Amino acid sequence: MNFTIEVPGEANPLSIQTLYHTLTAASSTDPQQIKSATQQLQNWEKQAGYYSSLQTIFVDTSLPVEVRYLCIIQLKNGIDRYWRKTAPNAIKKDEKNQIRARSIESGTKEPDARLALQNALMIAKIIRHEYPLDWPEAVSTIVSNLRSASQPTRNTMELARALLILLEAIKELSTARIQRTRASLQAAAVEVLQVLGKIYVDKVQTWTNFFRHRGDDEGGAIDSIEQSLVALRVLRRLLVAGWDFPNRSPEVEHVWMLLINHFHEMLSLAADGSSSLHESVRLLVEKHLRQIAKLHQNLAKTHPAGFALLPGSTQLVSAYWSLIARLGESFGSHTLMDFSGQNGMDRDADDANVPIMEYLSLKGLLLLRECVKMVFNPAQTFKYQQAHDKEEKTRSRELIKGDLLTEDFAQTTMQTLVTRYFVFRPRDLREWEEQPEEWERREEGEDDIWEFSIRSCAEKLFLELMLNYKAQLVPTLLSVFGKVAYKATQNNNIFLKESVYGAIGLGAAVLEDEIDFNSFLNETLAREVQVSQSGYNILRRRIAIVLGKWLPVKDGLNRPLVYQIFQHLLDRQDPLNDLVVRITAGRQLKNIISPFEFTFEGFRPYCATVLGHLMALIEEVELSETKLALLNTLSTLVQSVEDGIVPFADHIISLLPPLWEQAGAEFLMKQAILGILSSLMSSMKANSQKYHSLIIPLVDSSVDISSETRIYLLDDAMDLWATVLRQTPPAGITDVVPLVPHLFPMLEVGSDTLRRALEITEIYVYLAPSQVLASFDVFLPPFVGLLEHAKREATGLVLAIVDKAIQSALMLGGKDALTTLTSQLLQFNLLQTIVAGLRGAHQAHQSSGPNRSKTWLDVLVETDYLSILSRLTVTSPDLFLEALKAAAPNEELNVTTKWLLSEWFGHLDNISHPEKKKLSCLALTALLQTGQPWIMVHLQELMAIWTETVLDLYDEPDSKETDCLVYKDPRSLEAEEETAEKEGQRKLLLIDPVHQLDLRGVIREHLECSISASGGSEAFQTEWVVNVDGDVLQEFGKLGIF
């Protein structure tokens, strides 16, 4: 029995011996020992000396490999967490020095390849943190170690390990974005290149001589070829990252010419079918070629001018083109036998040399594309604009265009691409048949996947040439197109047609004015899409793509015919409409129905059939990416046909729940489903209520703060939530109220969903005002926090909600309900925040000079603050004054009103919104009924604002009509499609004083009350009007109010 007692980690002291035993336990197969040892190692991580002790065990090659491997992994991971000086429990400087001092030498002598790699990665991580400031000699130490390891007397393994360390270090430094690090690498680049270049040349000479002359030291040759490959991997990165202008360095120029020669020699060696090279050696030679090809492409992409001005560059690109042309002769399929796979060939037996030749041809196409960009898009390519750099830029463009990208070369390239590389390979056709979904997804080639497909890359290069050599290439392409397109019945070369049609589709933007596409559509495509001969599914797929390219760019096409074609291509009953054809048609349908010219009326006869086929296809496919693409098409269809989708809504809805379940953790698909539901609810309007039982639980689970899916689905779920609310009829309010509590966690400063949450809250105020007011005390604390810290947009939304809440309270319960709400606004300091903000603005406006007070209130926020006060004042000046006194308890009311009215009148000229300006005018006028001196002394300002506002709101100042903001006919507010939100908005507008009270009537009424309270007209004149400026009084008198 095992009576082992587990001691807490802190009680177990750290020593080499205990660490070794713990590592041994951690590398055992006993789960209990592994668990205990792992916990102990975690406890030691923060102790001084732990990582240097790990290295001490690691460098002892007599210990078991499993224990040493665990040591180096722990050490490497610890560097990520604790090496940085600012990290908690960071490794001390002395311990860092000890680890650095032993890392390079121990890595050079490490016999196990796996451990050597991990040690090299560890050194690279240290260099990332410490070079050049804390470890300035890092690169020179590694180079010195490499130079020593390359001596003939040293073990060849040590050279391999030294090269590996250099490789990982250069990898790390070449990706650094800090300019200081890059500059330090460039300063050391020449030294590295000299040592590394010599090793590379010596090793290449060794293994090439052996294989040419059949030497005796086979083991030495294999070691040499492996070492030269590692050296080449370092050179590739060094030449790109080590110089900003590689063409100006004689060292780079020398290595560049050497690598070009090696490229040709190795290519000859790898492509020699009669060579007796062992397969493993051939693969190593091919790896050399791949590295050199990567160098060519990377250098052209990173240093375009430098690439062009290096010697032999244009000849190099021409050599690549020769490879491309040679491969093109055998690239595509030539018979339909390739499709059926019945030609007796083994599926992996086609052209044994194609993989490396195809790779080099792909790199050649990418290189050509970089050259085209270099000449025709220099602003996006060239970084430096000093005088010498501009001169080099000009020379490089002239060189590439004059020596390489001639018009004849462009013609030849275009013809080769279209007739050779646009054609499917036998492998493509077999994969079409055996793995249709996977093949179609790969052919779609989204993002940068085209860089790994030779045909997709050829398409990109073709389009670049068409855009930049339009005058030269269009006539040639049209000539070929005419022979193929308008003699379709006489030409049965499906592969040629497919490739030419592909070129026409790709060049749609260039050819839109050159081709009578309507005739081509009516006379050729419409016929060919109906041909039932074997192999015509290839053309059907291409026709769907061509139409998807042309319809968005060409006006006046026969759209009904296009709809018929897609209806036909999506029909599963036609044997030639295999899965690839139907998926392609489903993808391209999105481009057919999304252009601005699309109308549902033209699509109506085909909608039911197309929609049925599309939804059946979504159920049929299995790949998540394919389902997602088709769901995006469905979403576009729902949006485009708008309310025309209503008859098909039940069918669409029935499809979505199973897809939701199938999606599992595929959140992109769930996002698409939520998007479709949102579009569908928008189209369904009030009829959407019948789907609440399905949709509300989806929204609930997606926005719940405890849900694991919330992080992925929240944005789309909130869009759906808002859409459902906007379309909810009055009878469906109770369905959506239970979602309200989910809003509270979102109303926090800094929340990513804050804006959306506030917009939804505002909808709820219209939709269910009584329910919102009942829980308004839960909304107020985050609202106050937002007023104090949020940006203008969020503040505006908060105050709009409070404004609507005040109106709703008045509508539902009159003054008593408003009094209750006002108490809540005071209880949670919202009114205090408003008053404090206005006081700060007043103080700032009363000060000047360099030490003037500053206010965080901008003009718009201050307008919104005053609007809240205006709402209370218009309803009940007494309630407003009580609230004002409670909000500023430390000063007398007459003091508060004095500075507040001063700020209020001073701000009126900054209110540009007519409704808010009238509201403030009504509020200030309502204060006259208090009869208090603090408002009567502002009679001049009142008359000025009355005059200005009346002139703004009336066509004629003396007109008998009401002001333009008053609704003359309430029926004009009724919506065709009544929703609860629109009904709530209408109810508030119908009780809003801004839209119900005529401003002149209000002014006249309050003036008359003030005159009466003052003891008559003469007393009013003597006490207050006498203080009004004559011009102001005269302008006010013209209004005919007083």
Side-chain angles (χ1 to χ4, degrees):
M1 298 184 105
N2 186 357
F3 293 99
T4 302
I5 299 176
E6 294 187 24
V7 179
E10 293 79 357
N12 213 351
L14 174 63
S15 68
I16 298 295
Q17 191 66 26
T18 54
L19 178 57
Y20 174 74
H21 287 304
T22 305
L23 290 166
T24 303
S27 59
S28 71
T29 57
D30 183 355
Q32 186 60 37
Q33 289 191 41
I34 293 174
K35 180 180 178 181
S36 177
T38 301
Q39 181 60 50
Q40 177 64 78
L41 293 174
Q42 290 174 353
N43 292 330
W44 279 335
E45 281 182 357
K46 301 174 184 179
Q47 288 193 28
Y50 171 65
Y51 290 104
S52 58
S53 299
L54 284 174
Q55 190 183 41
T56 299
I57 296 175
F58 168 72
V59 299
D60 188 346
T61 57
S62 65
L63 298 178
V65 171
E66 294 78 10
V67 174
R68 297 177 61 230
Y69 188 79
L70 186 56
C71 279
I72 193 62
I73 293 297
Q74 289 281 319
L75 179 53
K76 186 182 70 171
N77 294 341
I79 288 170
D80 283 331
R81 292 194 292 267
Y82 301 113
W83 196 273
R84 203 177 293 273
K85 296 176 183 177
T86 56
N89 304 295
I91 301 173
K92 298 295 186 291
K93 184 176 181 180
D94 291 343
E95 189 174 1
K96 288 182 180 180
N97 293 337
Q98 184 180 357
I99 293 172
R100 286 194 325 227
R102 295 188 293 183
S103 59
I104 296 176
E105 183 180 357
S106 62
T108 306
K109 296 180 179 179
E110 175 56 53
D112 188 282
R114 292 184 309 152
L115 301 184
L117 174 60
Q118 296 303 322
N119 186 75
L121 291 171
M122 179 204 70
I123 294 172
K125 288 179 181 291
I126 295 175
I127 288 176
R128 180 184 65 189
H129 289 297
E130 302 222 330
Y131 183 78
L133 292 181
D134 298 312
W135 195 10
E137 71 279 8
V139 174
S140 59
T141 302
I142 293 174
V143 172
S144 176
N145 181 65
L146 178 64
R147 185 185 290 111
S148 176
S150 66
Q151 298 303 313
T153 57
R154 297 287 291 271
N155 190 322
T156 56
M157 181 202 72
E158 294 183 15
L159 176 58
R161 301 295 185 256
L163 285 169
L164 182 61
I165 292 172
L166 179 63
L167 171 62
E168 298 303 331
I170 297 299
K171 267 188 186 180
E172 195 68 54
L173 293 174
S174 64
T175 57
R177 295 186 178 182
I178 301 175
Q179 182 58 34
R180 180 179 62 245
T181 304
R182 297 183 65 85
S184 298
L185 172 62
Q186 291 173 357
V190 173
E191 180 188 6
V192 177
L193 184 61
Q194 289 173 346
V195 176
L196 186 65
K198 183 178 185 306
I199 294 172
Y200 168 75
V201 171
D202 290 345
K203 296 303 175 183
V204 170
Q205 288 177 349
T206 299
W207 65 261
T208 52
N209 288 336
F210 172 83
F211 292 120
R212 283 174 180 163
H213 306 297
R214 303 294 187 268
D216 298 327
D217 188 6
E218 182 177 352
I222 297 298
D223 287 341
S224 294
I225 196 172
E226 290 175 347
Q227 291 164 3
S228 66
L229 178 59
V230 178
L232 185 55
R233 293 171 65 191
V234 182
L235 282 172
R236 175 170 69 84
R237 291 169 173 84
L238 183 65
L239 292 177
V240 174
W243 286 266
D244 285 330
F245 303 95
N247 56 297
R248 301 177 189 176
S249 168
E251 293 85 0
V252 173
E253 183 177 315
H254 175 73
V255 173
W256 173 256
M257 292 302 299
L258 185 71
L259 289 175
I260 289 179
N261 293 333
H262 284 180
F263 181 74
H264 292 301
E265 293 173 6
M266 293 179 192
L267 180 61
S268 174
L269 191 62
D272 185 2
S274 62
S275 173
S276 59
L277 289 180
H278 189 274
E279 184 63 23
S280 61
V281 175
R282 184 188 300 277
L283 290 176
L284 287 170
V285 174
E286 291 179 358
K287 286 181 179 180
H288 281 72
L289 289 169
R290 293 173 192 268
Q291 290 297 318
I292 298 175
K294 284 182 181 180
L295 169 63
H296 296 157
Q297 184 202 350
N298 293 344
L299 204 60
K301 187 173 184 177
T302 309
H303 306 295
F307 170 83
L309 296 177
L310 282 168
S313 292
T314 54
Q315 294 88 338
L316 175 66
V317 180
S318 298
Y320 271 107
W321 176 248
S322 299
L323 283 177
I324 295 168
R326 192 188 317 158
L327 177 64
E329 295 174 1
S330 58
F331 183 79
S333 298
H334 302 286
T335 77
L336 289 174
M337 292 292 287
D338 294 328
F339 202 126
S340 64
Q342 297 174 355
N343 56 2
M345 294 179 64
D346 181 80
R347 65 185 59 186
D348 297 321
D350 324 16
D351 298 323
N353 290 328
V354 164
I356 183 60
M357 294 305 168
E358 184 174 323
Y359 180 88
L360 295 178
S361 297
L362 173 61
K363 290 300 178 184
L365 291 172
L366 291 169
L367 196 56
L368 272 171
R369 191 163 184 263
E370 293 298 336
C371 291
V372 173
K373 289 167 64 179
M374 195 184 306
V375 173
F376 296 103
N377 302 97
Q380 301 175 22
T381 305
F382 296 94
K383 303 175 185 177
Y384 301 95
Q385 293 298 317
Q386 296 178 7
H388 187 38
D389 306 330
K390 290 181 180 180
E391 186 270 331
E392 284 190 349
K393 167 185 169 181
T394 303
R395 277 198 298 129
S396 63
R397 290 180 64 195
E398 292 174 351
L399 180 66
I400 294 294
K401 192 170 184 178
D403 291 3
L404 181 64
L405 299 179
T406 62
E407 293 182 5
D408 290 342
F409 180 78
Q411 289 272 11
T412 303
T413 303
M414 187 271 287
Q415 293 175 10
T416 302
L417 295 178
V418 173
T419 60
R420 301 293 185 184
Y421 284 96
F422 284 12
V423 179
F424 288 130
R425 294 168 296 179
R427 185 174 68 194
D428 293 315
L429 300 179
R430 284 196 300 273
E431 289 177 357
W432 176 322
E433 191 174 63
E434 296 170 1
Q435 300 176 329
E437 283 191 58
E438 186 63 40
W439 182 86
E440 190 278 339
R441 182 195 64 80
R442 192 167 59 247
E443 282 298 306
E444 187 61 23
E446 296 180 357
D447 300 324
D448 289 337
I449 197 173
W450 62 269
E451 293 186 357
F452 305 98
S453 166
I454 194 167
R455 185 166 61 254
S456 298
C457 186
E459 292 175 351
K460 294 281 186 181
L461 178 59
F462 166 80
L463 187 55
E464 294 275 358
L465 292 173
M466 289 296 296
L467 289 170
N468 295 298
Y469 291 91
K470 180 179 178 179
Q472 294 78 22
L473 300 186
V474 166
T476 304
L477 183 59
L478 291 181
S479 175
V480 177
F481 171 68
K483 295 175 184 177
V484 173
Y486 298 109
K487 297 181 181 180
T489 56
Q490 305 172 21
N491 191 334
N492 293 320
N493 189 334
I494 292 175
F495 296 109
L496 178 60
K497 285 183 180 180
E498 202 276 343
S499 61
V500 173
Y501 290 1
I504 297 302
L506 288 170
V510 178
L511 301 170
E512 59 172 316
D513 297 325
E514 309 291 338
I515 293 178
D516 184 359
F517 194 81
N518 234 348
S519 297
F520 178 48
L521 170 62
N522 296 326
E523 299 171 13
T524 304
L525 297 185
R527 293 180 183 179
E528 292 194 326
V529 82
Q530 300 176 68
V531 176
S532 299
Q533 297 177 17
S534 174
Y536 266 78
N537 51 343
I538 297 175
L539 274 187
R540 291 189 180 188
R541 170 187 174 272
R542 179 56 63 184
I543 288 170
I545 296 174
V546 170
L547 292 175
K549 298 286 187 184
W550 272 84
L551 216 68
V553 301
K554 186 70 174 178
D555 295 332
L557 294 183
N558 187 348
R559 284 183 171 272
L561 179 57
V562 174
Y563 302 149
Q564 290 181 54
I565 289 175
F566 273 83
Q567 179 179 259
H568 172 64
L569 293 177
L570 287 166
D571 184 6
R572 187 178 183 180
Q573 301 304 314
D574 190 317
L576 278 185
N577 291 337
D578 58 25
L579 195 55
V580 170
V581 172
R582 286 182 285 121
I583 292 174
T584 303
R587 282 186 190 267
Q588 296 300 324
L589 180 62
K590 181 178 180 179
N591 298 325
I592 301 301
I593 58 178
S594 58
F596 182 74
E597 297 81 9
F598 175 84
T599 61
F600 177 59
E601 286 306 312
F603 186 66
R604 187 187 295 275
Y606 316 99
C607 186
T609 307
V610 168
L611 193 58
H613 289 332
L614 180 61
M615 289 191 289
L617 181 60
I618 292 172
E619 292 183 277
E620 181 183 356
V621 298
E622 297 178 357
L623 281 182
S624 299
E625 294 92 332
T626 307
K627 282 184 182 289
L628 181 60
L630 297 175
L631 283 172
N632 287 333
T633 299
L634 179 60
S635 180
T636 302
L637 181 60
V638 171
Q639 294 173 33
S640 298
V641 303
E642 297 178 342
D643 56 358
I645 203 68
V646 173
F648 316 106
D650 287 345
H651 191 179
I652 296 174
I653 289 291
S654 67
L655 170 70
L656 299 180
L659 285 177
W660 184 273
E661 294 300 323
Q662 293 171 21
E666 295 286 345
F667 297 111
L668 287 176
M669 190 182 300
K670 289 187 173 181
Q671 290 170 4
I673 292 172
L674 292 174
I676 291 172
L677 287 171
S678 184
S679 301
L680 194 59
M681 295 303 99
S682 182
S683 299
M684 294 289 292
K685 297 183 171 58
N687 292 327
S688 63
Q689 184 188 352
K690 64 180 181 178
Y691 303 120
H692 280 186
S693 60
L694 168 68
I695 293 173
I696 301 302
L698 279 183
V699 174
D700 181 76
S701 63
S702 300
V703 302
D704 189 343
I705 196 169
S706 62
S707 171
E708 295 180 358
T709 63
R710 186 177 188 267
I711 188 174
Y712 306 104
L713 304 179
L714 183 58
D715 289 342
D716 297 278
M718 292 192 74
D719 288 341
L720 175 58
W721 188 358
T723 303
V724 169
L725 292 179
R726 289 197 170 98
Q727 305 304 329
T728 295
I733 292 174
T734 54
D735 297 342
V736 297
V737 169
L739 294 174
V740 170
H742 292 306
L743 289 169
F744 303 144
M746 302 179 194
L747 299 175
E748 298 177 358
V749 178
S751 168
D752 293 336
T753 55
L754 175 60
R755 174 187 169 83
R756 211 75 180 98
L758 289 171
E759 291 173 347
I760 291 174
T761 303
E762 185 175 11
I763 298 173
Y764 268 111
V765 176
Y766 295 126
L767 217 67
S770 59
Q771 290 90 335
V772 172
L773 288 173
S775 58
F776 210 61
D777 56 336
V778 185
F779 284 99
L780 284 173
F783 282 179
V784 173
L786 291 172
L787 290 184
E788 294 174 343
H789 303 291
K791 295 181 179 179
R792 154 78 191 109
E793 186 179 26
T795 303
L797 288 170
V798 167
L799 294 171
I801 294 169
V802 175
D803 183 279
K804 300 300 184 296
I806 291 172
Q807 295 181 69
S808 299
L810 192 62
M811 175 184 67
L812 295 172
K815 186 177 178 181
D816 291 342
L818 183 57
T819 301
T820 301
L821 178 59
T822 303
S823 298
Q824 290 181 318
L825 298 180
L826 288 167
Q827 178 186 352
F828 292 98
N829 292 325
L830 189 137
L831 284 180
Q832 290 90 323
T833 302
I834 289 177
V835 171
L838 292 171
R839 181 188 286 109
H842 174 71
Q843 292 171 349
H845 296 150
Q846 298 303 309
S847 61
S848 60
N851 297 322
R852 63 172 296 182
S853 300
K854 294 184 179 179
T855 177
W856 54 268
L857 278 190
D858 65 18
V859 172
L860 295 177
V861 173
E862 185 169 353
T863 298
D864 291 338
Y865 274 15
L866 293 171
S867 295
I868 298 299
L869 300 184
S870 297
R871 285 290 175 199
L872 297 176
T873 308
V874 171
T875 304
S876 171
D878 291 338
L879 178 61
F880 163 70
L881 293 176
E882 291 175 10
L884 187 61
K885 187 173 182 180
N890 296 325
E891 63 183 10
E892 295 294 328
L893 181 61
N894 61 342
V895 175
T896 305
T897 53
K898 182 179 180 180
W899 67 256
L900 177 60
L901 289 175
S902 173
E903 180 64 21
W904 201 333
F905 279 110
H907 183 75
L908 287 173
D909 287 338
N910 295 322
I911 302 178
S912 59
H913 195 289
E915 294 181 353
K916 291 183 179 180
K917 190 161 189 175
K918 180 181 177 181
L919 180 61
S920 273
C921 188
L922 289 172
L924 292 169
T925 304
L927 288 175
L928 284 175
Q929 71 187 61
T930 65
Q932 295 295 322
W934 44 258
I935 182 64
M936 300 305 298
V937 298
H938 290 285
L939 186 60
Q940 177 171 305
E941 289 98 323
L942 278 170
M943 287 186 173
I945 192 61
W946 287 339
T947 303
E948 179 183 342
T949 309
V950 167
L951 291 175
D952 288 342
L953 298 182
Y954 292 85
D955 294 331
E956 295 294 335
D958 56 352
S959 171
K960 302 301 181 183
E961 295 290 328
T962 57
D963 70 61
C964 64
L965 294 179
V966 176
Y967 292 131
K968 278 76 174 176
D969 182 10
R971 290 174 299 179
S972 63
L973 298 176
E974 296 178 0
E976 293 182 11
E977 293 286 342
E978 190 70 6
T979 65
E981 181 192 20
K982 292 177 181 177
E983 183 183 53
Q985 289 174 337
R986 188 179 71 254
K987 287 179 178 178
L988 292 187
L989 288 173
L990 290 175
I991 67 160
D992 190 344
V994 173
H995 299 295
Q996 297 303 310
L997 299 179
D998 177 51
L999 180 60
R1000 285 189 307 186
V1002 171
I1003 296 171
R1004 182 180 295 111
E1005 177 185 346
H1006 283 83
L1007 267 179
E1008 290 175 352
C1009 291
S1010 295
I1011 292 172
S1012 177
S1014 297
S1017 178
E1018 185 176 346
F1020 185 72
Q1021 178 80 22
T1022 303
E1023 188 174 1
W1024 303 115
V1025 177
V1026 69
N1027 299 315
V1028 178
D1029 181 82
D1031 292 338
V1032 172
L1033 189 60
Q1034 182 180 1
E1035 291 301 316
F1036 176 67
K1038 293 178 181 179
L1039 301 179
I1041 296 175
F1042 176 66

